[in-house]
Amino acid sequence: MAPGPLAQVLRQLPKVEDKNLITADIPFADAGVYRISESCALVQSVDFFTPIVNDPTIYGQIAAANALSDIYAMGGRPITALNLIGFPKCLGQEVLVAILTGGAEKVHEAGAVIVGGHTVDDDEPKYGLSVTGLVDPAKLITTAGAKPGDRLLLTKPLGTGILATALKGGVLTEGEMSEAIDGMMTLNRVASETMQAVGVHACTDITGFGLLGHTLELAQASGVGIVLHAESLPVYPQVFEMAAMGLIPEGGYNNRKHYLPGVTNRDSLKAAVLDILTDPQTSGGLLISVAADKEETIKQQLTSGGCSAWSIGHVTADHPEKIRID
Ligand code: CO
């Protein structure tokens, strides 16, 4: 759902109160975190969506990497997963086998196990997983905790929503967007383990609300302002070309409407920058808020672990809970 209507619905629900629900007081937490002992908490999340590419195995891999991502964003270690499947009667069984095989491969790569699942007849295929992980509550990383002076790192380029729209429209082939497909299939595992090892202040993963939405959530949860450098934003090949052709997903317009009021200099943004900032991501990277004196260390460790890292901005005490785009 679009962020506006979703927030409206959530506001009408009773507040959950449980002394073990650690995330009860953390706005925009990526996953629910529930303490089961002094040193151990469950981290739980769920995500599923319609096919984003034509190849069913790759679709399964991307859906699983995406579902696992919220656990990684909080510094958790995934342990079990459940498949969620909507599948049309008219499609061949081999397609479903391919989707589930792709998902299983990624869950295995994450060191977790699929323990079951549920299927429903559906007009359009849908696939995703409910994932459970573990974390030491003392080591939990959340959207709250970013401090003025922190540097912001992003671990994957942007633009998957625009490219997926171009693929659906027949303007691009899967081969022409292979870099983005590889990116979406990549687990945020190395990024997560590295930030745990180095020690960071806050993190979230970039998914449906786009870089702008998730950055704004981090700013609000942490009570800080954020400055993003437009020139430093990493973008997959062809994204600007496709965006210039108007291949913007509906979610991009929803994000624009909902999150643009949170940008202090919204009236002076270039159209291309706005397209990138608000593009809904599938299986996007981690946005990490780290103390300035640890920036080089974490970048080195990410890179040597095979994970990219771009410095895209910093945290400020100015304009709390708002973003400025430089
Ligand atoms: Co998330």
Side-chain angles (χ1 to χ4, degrees):
M1 283 177 71
L6 176 61
Q8 234 169 43
V9 169
L10 294 178
R11 267 200 299 276
Q12 297 176 56
L13 302 182
K15 189 169 158 49
V16 179
E17 288 186 41
D18 186 313
K19 64 179 174 20
N20 290 317
L21 184 61
I22 298 172
T23 42
D25 299 318
I26 300 171
F28 312 115
D30 283 295
V33 182
Y34 192 86
R35 188 185 292 107
I36 50 175
S37 78
E38 192 73 6
S39 61
C40 189
L42 293 178
V43 191
Q44 297 186 293
S45 184
V46 58
D47 205 341
F48 60 99
F49 45 73
T50 55
I52 180 158
V53 292
N54 302 318
D55 183 303
T57 309
I58 294 175
Y59 165 45
Q61 291 183 322
I62 292 173
N66 181 74
L68 287 155
S69 178
D70 278 330
I71 309 297
Y72 287 132
M74 303 197 78
R77 178 172 61 87
I79 53 166
T80 59
L82 295 161
N83 284 321
L84 301 167
I85 303 130
F87 201 70
K89 288 185 177 132
C90 60
L91 272 182
Q93 233 175 46
E94 71 283 358
V95 178
L96 183 53
V97 171
I99 294 171
L100 294 176
T101 302
E105 281 168 12
K106 278 292 150 185
V107 170
H108 179 75
E109 185 187 326
V113 284
I114 290 179
V115 293
H118 184 70
T119 56
V120 291
D121 289 328
D122 201 339
D123 293 340
E124 198 176 11
K126 294 181 188 74
Y127 176 58
L129 305 97
S130 157
V131 184
T132 298
L134 297 177
V135 72
D136 176 348
K139 294 181 179 165
L140 184 67
I141 300 166
T142 73
T143 46
K147 294 180 172 58
D150 279 3
R151 300 305 161 93
L152 290 173
L153 301 181
L154 179 63
T155 64
K156 289 183 189 177
L158 302 162
T160 63
I162 290 165
L163 294 180
T165 305
L167 179 69
K168 276 204 183 101
V171 184
L172 267 190
T173 64
E174 279 171 333
E176 286 165 332
M177 59 176 285
S178 61
E179 225 174 284
I181 289 176
D182 286 349
M184 289 189 282
M185 283 164 54
T186 302
L187 293 178
N188 281 327
R189 181 181 188 166
V190 172
S192 178
E193 291 175 353
T194 307
M195 73 172 178
Q196 272 286 12
V198 174
V200 303
H201 289 153
C203 178
T204 190
D205 61 334
I206 306 305
T207 51
F209 299 153
L211 179 66
L212 185 63
H214 292 285
T215 304
L216 203 52
E217 288 185 346
L218 193 126
Q220 289 173 354
S222 298
V224 296
I226 285 178
V227 177
L228 292 177
H229 306 138
E231 298 287 310
S232 310
L233 299 180
V235 171
Y236 287 116
Q238 305 264 32
V239 170
F240 285 117
E241 291 86 336
M242 296 301 124
M245 290 168 67
L247 294 158
I248 308 290
E250 192 193 344
Y253 293 107
N254 293 336
N255 289 341
R256 205 169 293 210
K257 189 172 150 203
H258 193 70
Y259 295 116
L260 210 50
V263 180
T264 59
N265 57 334
R266 57 188 165 273
D267 296 327
S268 61
L269 295 183
K270 285 189 193 133
V273 172
L274 196 52
D275 291 341
I276 302 305
L277 284 171
T278 53
D279 189 44
Q281 302 301 285
T282 298
S283 189
L286 298 189
L287 178 73
I288 300 170
S289 188
V290 62
D293 60 1
K294 286 185 176 174
E295 185 184 18
E296 279 318 306
T297 311
I298 192 170
K299 277 177 99 168
Q300 267 166 23
Q301 291 194 19
L302 286 168
T303 313
S304 63
C307 178
S308 305
W310 290 269
S311 299
I312 63 163
H314 65 269
V315 179
T316 174
D318 303 337
H319 52 83
E321 304 193 11
K322 298 249 192 263
I323 298 179
R324 193 181 83 229
I325 314 294
D326 270 6

